Amino acid sequence: PQCLQYPSSPAATAIEESSPVVLRYRTPYFRASARVLMPPIARRHTWVVGWIQACNHMEFYNTYSDLGVSSWELPDLREGRVKAISDSDGVSYPWYGNTTETVTLVGPTNKISRFSVSMNDNFYPSVTWAVPVSNSNVPLLTRIKRDQSFTTWLVAMNTTTKEKIILQTIKWRMRVDIEVDPMQLLGQRARLVGRTQQEQPRILSRMEPIPPNALVKPNANDAQVLMWRPKRGQPIVVIPPK
């Protein structure tokens, strides 16, 4: 195969302060695209070629003055019970998605197949201005820090024999650091600090195996938990896993 990595767009993370309830931010996109040549398939086998992604590391902390921190967490990853969690769309396991992300080839075919597969990913979350466990609307958010790492594989999988061939391995990381002054007027509270440009994705020269649990449920979106960790007192589960 020929694999072309279109790097994440060089734009900085955009902050949106249009809502009195939440701050939103939109990160640049990670984009991957590959042109693949598939030799003729001799027998009545079906091959799927496409992108599989897993989250290897996640820190996502929102600080509220000196009261505490809300954090999105992947408990199994946090506790070290697993090395990665599937980042599938939750429907197309183990694939990242099933539109541009995969191509299915049904044998027998008598000539080379040429096709492209592509994917893109970014963050676009909402963070409450007020402490998430309170009934108050008082803005107290002072900092958002996020650091997430992913591995993305280009894979050819024989659905008949279950054979898997890893064609490419890519590592990428997204970091966000936003300072917030909740005393300011809406629209003037938040600013990007730290690095404004994301580091470019790395195409590995050696293939990395896919951890078995990165191919099955749950995916990261279903497994994540929102915790409130106050300065004093016990942590509270705000949003449990799905």
Side-chain angles (χ1 to χ4, degrees):
Q2 301 169 296
C3 182
L4 302 176
Q5 170 63 27
Y6 294 118
S8 57
S9 39
T13 295
I15 300 170
E16 296 177 11
E17 288 190 41
S18 52
S19 162
V21 180
V22 293
L23 175 154
R24 301 195 82 183
Y25 62 85
R26 192 193 296 266
T27 63
Y29 279 91
F30 163 79
R31 301 182 195 275
S33 178
R35 285 200 300 268
V36 182
L37 307 180
M38 191 77 169
I41 303 167
R43 292 189 291 276
R44 291 179 62 182
H45 285 189
T46 298
W47 284 86
V48 181
V49 180
W51 297 102
I52 293 173
Q53 182 163 283
C55 177
N56 311 96
H57 177 81
M58 171 157 141
E59 295 173 43
F60 184 177
Y61 300 112
N62 308 310
T63 305
Y64 291 84
S65 181
D66 56 356
L67 299 175
V69 169
S70 75
S71 66
W72 283 101
E73 300 171 9
L74 294 165
D76 283 353
L77 203 58
R78 181 187 166 98
E79 308 297 332
R81 289 190 289 270
V82 299
K83 288 193 163 54
I85 284 183
S86 166
D87 198 33
S88 158
D89 61 3
V91 178
S92 315
Y93 289 100
W95 308 102
Y96 182 75
N98 66 358
T99 51
T100 61
E101 295 87 0
T102 59
V103 166
T104 301
L105 300 160
V106 181
T109 59
N110 57 10
K111 61 179 195 293
I112 290 174
S113 305
R114 289 179 167 79
F115 55 89
S116 295
V117 283
S118 63
M119 64 162 284
N120 63 69
D121 191 12
N122 81 327
F123 304 154
Y124 188 30
S126 302
V127 181
T128 57
W129 295 111
V131 172
V133 293
S134 74
N135 294 322
S136 148
N137 293 328
V138 178
L140 291 167
L141 179 69
T142 49
R143 192 77 177 258
I144 297 171
K145 283 201 82 165
R146 187 167 184 175
D147 187 350
Q148 256 176 284
S149 298
F150 299 88
T151 307
T152 309
W153 294 270
L154 179 63
V155 181
M157 196 180 292
N158 186 323
T159 61
T160 317
T161 64
K162 304 301 178 209
E163 179 188 3
K164 274 200 302 293
I165 302 169
I166 297 174
L167 305 174
Q168 202 63 260
T169 309
I170 301 168
K171 296 270 191 192
W172 64 281
R173 181 180 184 183
M174 190 79 79
R175 286 187 276 183
V176 177
D177 195 351
I178 296 170
E179 265 181 7
V180 183
D181 181 351
M183 306 302 288
Q184 296 298 320
L185 292 170
L186 184 66
Q188 298 170 20
R189 293 174 184 165
R191 67 187 186 95
L192 217 51
V193 292
R195 58 183 303 148
T196 54
Q197 304 290 313
Q198 300 296 329
E199 57 197 81
Q200 290 299 314
R202 291 183 298 123
I203 299 180
L204 304 194
S205 51
R206 291 167 61 181
M207 300 306 139
E208 199 169 279
I210 306 173
N213 58 283
L215 298 168
V216 294
K217 292 181 177 182
N219 70 336
N221 285 345
D222 288 350
Q224 66 184 2
V225 180
L226 181 63
M227 298 295 298
W228 169 248
R229 298 185 177 277
K231 269 276 170 52
R232 294 175 194 79
Q234 293 300 306
I236 297 168
V237 177
V238 183
I239 301 176
K242 290 190 178 130

